[in-house]
Amino acid sequence: MNYTKTLLLLAALTAVFLSIGWLIGGVTGMVIAFLIAICTNFYAFWNSDELALRAHGARRVDRASAPEYFQMVEELSVRAGIPTPAVYVIDTDQPNAFATGRSPDKAAVAATRGLMQMLSREELAGVMAHEIAHIQNRDTLIMTVAATVAGAIAMLAQFGMFFGGGRDRGAFGIVGVIAAAILAPLAAMMIQSLISRTREFSADRLGGEICGNPLWLASALAKITRTNVLMPSAEENPASAHLFIVNPLAGTRVDRLFSTHPDPQRRIAELKRQAATMGRMPSRDDAPRPVRRGGSAPSPWQ
């Protein structure tokens, strides 16, 4: 059901893109928009992982430099039935993580230093299982394509405002151009957000199965969402916010319609329901523990 919904949303995003081309330049505009979509998606397909990792200053680690963290990702990947992705650490205090890459064979996972310092081993396993679930579901490619098309829609709409379209810009003329410039980016943002939220719920559920206990991820989400730590690289690159397990942007007060992440409390409730169906009952180890304030002890995962 989630995949059907995702495909429908991607189709809607493409329809918005082609509609802008038609409003700006008629049939010719649709053809140009289609060619732009092909070019932008081709570029995103081959370069999305490198762009995301570079944007956040991620450094690659291996079995020698981060043995326990690397082994955890390796073991979870085996449970998920995918090749072990490249493993990265982001040197920031904000607790967060993301996955990227065009396929399970060309994937990477990254966790922040703050995440590894804050969480227990079980909670970290829950988070990394969620990211590996994104890779197994090929969500990293889906969300990259959605973000790229949404960005292209905004660019095309601005182009139409500046140049006003040509003689073959369709029945709505300049009114259509103005409407496209105002409404299309909002529609694209809403559809992209719906795609991201749909994939997060799927990754939560599959991640709970991969790590064996959904309560580990539920506990991790409870801790992460109680923090308020700025992530400079995310503020500088807000287009990558949808990749992270929770919204990395500080001070965001946007309507839920345009939020790239589901409500954390709803995610936690869904994970608890999943745990109950799996016969996993809460224990003292699964309960969220207070977030450490001030200086944190060195993490065994680094």
Side-chain angles (χ1 to χ4, degrees), residues 110-169:
T112 66
R113 182 184 64 242
L115 185 80
M116 294 188 287
Q117 289 177 339
M118 174 182 293
L119 302 185
S120 69
R121 186 183 193 282
E122 292 77 15
E123 291 163 341
L124 183 59
V127 171
M128 301 318 296
H130 169 98
E131 299 306 332
I132 287 172
H134 274 310
I135 296 171
Q136 186 180 9
N137 283 337
R138 297 181 182 266
D139 292 339
T140 49
L141 176 59
I142 291 171
M143 291 190 290
T144 296
V145 169
T148 304
V149 176
I153 286 174
M155 178 189 70
L156 193 62
Q158 291 176 356
F159 179 87
M161 275 296 291
F162 277 114
F163 294 96
R167 289 176 300 174
D168 187 31
R169 61 172 172 250

Side-chain angles (χ1 to χ4, degrees), residues 10-164:
L10 282 172
L13 198 59
T14 303
V16 171
F17 193 71
L18 295 178
S19 297
I20 293 178
W22 179 73
L23 287 170
I24 293 174
V27 175
T28 302
M30 285 184 66
V31 173
I32 293 174
F34 180 71
L35 293 175
I36 292 174
I38 292 176
C39 292
T40 53
N41 283 320
F42 181 82
Y43 181 80
F45 180 84
W46 288 104
N47 299 283
S48 60
D49 53 344
E50 294 180 8
L51 292 173
L53 293 165
R54 191 182 308 128
H56 297 285
R59 57 181 173 87
R60 189 165 183 173
V61 296
D62 54 24
R63 195 184 305 277
S65 56
E68 294 185 72
Y69 173 40
F70 186 89
Q71 182 179 352
M72 171 183 289
V73 173
E74 188 176 51
E75 291 176 354
L76 291 169
S77 300
V78 170
R79 291 176 64 92
I82 64 170
T84 302
V87 184
Y88 288 81
V89 172
I90 303 173
D91 291 312
T92 180
D93 291 330
Q94 185 186 99
N96 225 321
F98 72 86
T100 185
R102 63 182 181 270
S103 71
D105 293 321
K106 300 290 183 182
V109 293
T112 66
R113 182 184 64 242
L115 185 80
M116 294 188 287
Q117 289 177 339
M118 174 182 293
L119 302 185
S120 69
R121 186 183 193 282
E122 292 77 15
E123 291 163 341
L124 183 59
V127 171
M128 301 318 296
H130 169 98
E131 299 306 332
I132 287 172
H134 274 310
I135 296 171
Q136 186 180 9
N137 283 337
R138 297 181 182 266
D139 292 339
T140 49
L141 176 59
I142 291 171
M143 291 190 290
T144 296
V145 169
T148 304
V149 176
I153 286 174
M155 178 189 70
L156 193 62
Q158 291 176 356
F159 179 87
M161 275 296 291
F162 277 114
F163 294 96

Side-chain angles (χ1 to χ4, degrees), residues 56 94 229-239 247-252:
H56 297 285
Q94 185 186 99
V229 180
L230 184 69
M231 187 175 184
S233 62
E235 300 296 328
E236 295 169 4
N237 301 277
N247 194 342
L249 302 176
T252 52

